[in-house]
Amino acid sequence: MRKTPLLGVMFLLALAATPALAQSSTAALTQADSMALGRRLTHWFYTGQADSLWNSMGEGFRGEVGGVEGIREVMDRVASRAGVETDLLSEQVIAAGEGRIEYRRTAKFTVSEEPVVVRWVTDSAGRIVGAAIRPLSQIQN
């Protein structure tokens, strides 16, 4: 299993969302479902499963990431700068507006001197509509 660490580099551009995607599902995910989904997406990123991430993205967001190869490039780039996650400091699920949910994970890594924040924004059907990976000091609430 390939460990892919994170860095304080923007992952997959901004936390942009497509409102039409958020409205396409009638059943919203529960907070527990959203937490489990965020953990799964993070696991896929850490273990190099770019295809799984791509298949979980909403159509509107796919155009922002450069395909599966773009995701792999980000994985490789951040792997050299942050190291491997060593300590989970916090994780939470918060409403992000327009039916979106944000999973936010803050952790320490072997190389990065400051904690790194992993953010996944999903629509009500669980499709990725935004994501970012940055050092804690670069996160705006």
Side-chain angles (χ1 to χ4, degrees):
M1 187 159 73
R2 179 180 142 197
K3 287 262 187 196
T4 303
L6 300 177
L7 163 69
V9 173
M10 180 80 166
F11 173 57
L12 305 179
L13 300 175
L15 291 171
T18 304
L21 292 175
Q23 298 169 1
S24 65
S25 174
T26 57
L29 297 174
T30 67
Q31 183 156 346
D33 292 338
S34 296
M35 183 71 74
L37 176 59
R39 289 173 178 160
R40 183 171 61 241
L41 297 173
T42 302
H43 172 76
W44 287 346
F45 187 85
Y46 286 0
T47 59
Q49 297 180 54
D51 290 331
S52 295
L53 289 170
W54 175 258
N55 291 332
S56 296
M57 288 182 180
E59 290 298 320
F61 194 57
R62 283 184 173 184
E64 305 289 326
V65 301
V68 173
E69 265 316 300
I71 297 168
R72 286 190 180 118
E73 288 173 14
V74 171
M75 289 173 165
D76 291 341
R77 188 170 53 240
V78 300
S80 66
R81 298 183 184 176
V84 176
E85 181 179 304
T86 59
D87 294 303
L88 176 62
L89 301 175
S90 67
E91 64 181 343
Q92 61 183 346
V93 172
I94 54 176
E98 298 180 28
R100 298 172 291 154
I101 299 293
E102 179 181 328
Y103 170 81
R104 185 180 293 193
R105 177 186 192 93
T106 305
K108 290 184 180 181
F109 289 78
T110 56
V111 176
S112 179
E113 291 187 20
E114 73 173 292
V116 174
V117 178
V118 178
R119 299 167 88 175
W120 298 104
V121 178
T122 56
D123 65 14
S124 60
R127 292 177 296 239
I128 302 167
V129 295
I133 299 174
R134 295 182 171 185
L136 182 58
S137 64
Q138 293 182 14
I139 297 296
Q140 297 175 344
N141 290 324

